[in-house]
Amino acid sequence: MMGPFALAAFFFVIEFCQQVHGSRCDLYKGKWVYDASYPLYNSTNCPFILQEFNCQSNGRPDHLYQNYRWQPTSCNLPRFNGRDFLRRFKGKRIMFVGDSLSLNQWLSLTCLLHTAVCRAKYNLQRIGGLSTFSFPAYGVSIMFSRNAFLVDIVNEKYGRVLKLNSIGSGQLWEGADVLIFDTWHWWLHTGRKQPWDYVQDNKITHKDMNRLVAYEKALRTWARWVNFNVDSAKTKVFFQGVSPDHMDSRDWADPTAKTCRGETLPMISMDYPGGPHPAQVVLNKVLRSVSKPVHLLDITALSQLRKDGHPSAYGYGGRRGTDCTHWCLPGVPDTWNELLFAALIQS
């Protein structure tokens, strides 16, 4: 028999599904609203948040960035229910594959679930580039596979080669019940931050090439991998939209600022002055070519409105650096996971 909280969650899900299917609600169109019942967890109660995302621990003096909830225009987004999530995915393996923005979302989900069942035993294991967070009592594993480009980087005699047509690590992804992919952040790095020396397109090796073109070629390789390797009856596939940075205040039409540093409020407008993210335009085009079902977790536009949500001077580097790329936890990635939860309910 359901308890009162489980019963309330059940009827909320039913109402939500009726709203979505009845009105074709777009969960990604809406605005940020202040909600004193947020955040969904406290950073002090989530012992495994990495220092670079733990803005309160790093001395951030303001708190309002934690108190905003995403409100779709035509329906309501279900509040994340960790117990319901764990019941639904009992015995399942959920894997995030991508860069540090994927890590941001993975850590958010582990915090959301740990808070929901704070007395439940959990295991956290890191082996190489694979991190696994599991609840033995539920048989649920939440994994993160570090893979910034999705395609391979191979050490050759003449240097490190980014191979746009090769996915050797795909074997690790097979068998997961839910896959959430992400890539973009590392595609523009140059100099010492660039983790490859050459880029190979089919059999032609270049010293460099247009990064958006390379990004699209890699995504098409990933799309072919999905088409040939994913059994849609067993595995649900998501792609995390491009997570925006806020390094240039001209993008949000504020001549008084320079970067996200010092920003404490989201944009009230539903439209972002900087317009669509160019990488998201490419991603949308590639996703239309995938024959297997892939759900776009379309977080780009709503995250563009959150210039206040980054670590800024309260990340790992402290006041020596400014991080306008990643996100504080609690914060924006919690909403990404509420949207993920809603998409899983729909499917």
Side-chain angles (χ1 to χ4, degrees), residues 270-327:
M270 295 173 63
D271 297 310
Y272 191 62
H277 196 292
Q280 187 64 42
V281 174
V282 171
L283 175 60
N284 289 342
K285 181 171 66 172
V286 172
L287 289 180
R288 288 193 291 269
S289 72
V290 185
S291 60
K292 296 289 180 69
V294 176
H295 183 99
L296 173 64
L297 202 60
D298 197 4
I299 54 91
T300 306
L302 62 92
S303 302
Q304 283 178 321
L305 303 178
R306 292 303 306 272
K307 55 187 173 61
D308 60 312
H310 299 285
S312 176
Y314 304 100
Y316 185 74
R319 295 184 180 275
R320 296 188 303 277
T322 299
D323 183 354
C324 296
T325 299
H326 300 99
W327 303 92

Side-chain angles (χ1 to χ4, degrees), residues 28-32 70-74 267-273 301-302 304-305:
Y28 304 104
K29 299 291 185 183
K31 61 182 179 180
W32 292 97
W70 180 247
Q71 177 61 58
T73 302
S74 305
M267 293 185 64
I268 303 302
S269 168
M270 295 173 63
D271 297 310
Y272 191 62
L302 62 92
Q304 283 178 321
L305 303 178

